[in-house]
Amino acid sequence: MKYILGIESSCDDTSAAVIDERGVLLSNVIASQKVHEDFGGVVPELASRAHQQNIVPVVSEAIRQAGIDKNALSAIAFTRGPGLPGSLHVGTSFSKGLALALDVPLVDVNHLHGHVLAHFIKEDINTPVPEFPFLCLLVSGGNSQIVRVDAPTEMEIIGQTIDDAAGEAFDKCAKVMGLPYPGGPIIDRLASEGDAKRFRFSKPHIDGYNYSFSGLKTSFLYTLRDALKEDPDFIEKNKADLAASLQKTIVDILMDKFTKAIRDTGVKTIAIAGGVSANSAVRNAVAEYARRHRLTAFIPKRTFTTDNAAMIAVAGLYKYLAGDFCDITAPPFSRVII
Ligand code: KG4
């Protein structure tokens, strides 16, 4: 049996995972960094320092939990980008050192491919995986894309945001409401108790399958600014309704282009991925659309929506099987085009 070790260090989570050649996950260890909480966002310098502290224990624990010896590993897959340069350097250098020490191939993984291929992580041999071609709505803190997937190593972005990502829209609007970072999950929680029809915020009018969220952010900010002039307690009194209305607007914007792409391409299988795919309303909207149109929807387990090395290991497995290895001199990329 072949075993692939995946290493993820693109932002503020240090993660390592082991997957076998069938795609069955044997371990997935994640060390999240608490150090950023006081700063309202990820501080790059602190993130790379924490990766240095975490990477050896996280990788050792992933190999231990997989129940294998490190000499049984067949390849080391690592996130080469996109991400924070300092964070990527830690995972990249560590992976190179380990691949050299074990004398096994090195496989570089595009972090965004990893998110899309998270649907191929098998928790056991019978876990169903998507059939090709499928469309994936990839929504995270840094990206909002519609990706057409024709094979594990063949994918094309057919639509993407021209400004903010969906996660940024959640986080920036949450910040305007005085909520801590990241605001997305808090908006999700508050929204469950609010009236989504109470407030209206502007939606973009742009061509094709592209997204834009900057207008929504401005419209949200102006609504709050005007209302606060009349009532300084406006946010506190209307927290849940604001969150529900904001969330509904974001979901409407996402679904408008995603459903257009589904109709135009005629795919029978759809999926969502990335941090924002943990959002209850996004998950419900996609599942409901699939049910109404008799499509198969892949909604990831919440553990696989945020950054994790299991998705890097599975994406690495496909490249490994294709013999697509990475040169030892390859630098990380902070920005990568799929
Ligand atoms: O994929 P991810 O972990 O990393 C980045 O791309 O940075 O995504 C993080 C993003 C953040 O913007 C966070 O607010 C958002 O995902 N997020 C959510 C939820 N959980 C995470 N947004 C809305 N609802 C959620 N439940």
Side-chain angles (χ1 to χ4, degrees), residues 11 13 111 115 139-143 166-168 170-171 181-188 247 274-280 302 305-307:
C11 190
D13 293 305
H111 180 81
H115 272 302
V139 271
S140 69
N143 293 278
E168 274 175 294
F170 271 110
D171 296 341
Y181 175 88
I186 308 172
I187 296 283
D188 193 352
Q247 180 170 277
V276 178
S277 69
N279 181 267
S280 322
R302 284 197 161 84
T305 60
T306 46
D307 294 346

Side-chain angles (χ1 to χ4, degrees), residues 234-275:
F234 174 79
I235 296 178
E236 195 47 42
K237 286 181 193 157
N238 297 286
K239 253 193 330 215
D241 291 347
L242 282 168
S245 305
L246 170 68
Q247 180 170 277
K248 181 177 185 317
T249 312
I250 294 175
V251 172
D252 287 350
I253 295 172
L254 289 173
M255 290 306 286
D256 180 37
K257 295 301 174 82
F258 192 38
T259 55
K260 180 172 157 54
I262 296 166
R263 282 194 306 273
D264 292 352
T265 53
V267 293
K268 297 282 172 254
T269 303
I270 59 174
I272 51 172

Side-chain angles (χ1 to χ4, degrees), residues 167-186:
E168 274 175 294
F170 271 110
D171 296 341
K172 288 179 179 173
C173 292
K175 192 171 178 187
V176 173
M177 287 173 69
L179 300 172
Y181 175 88
I186 308 172

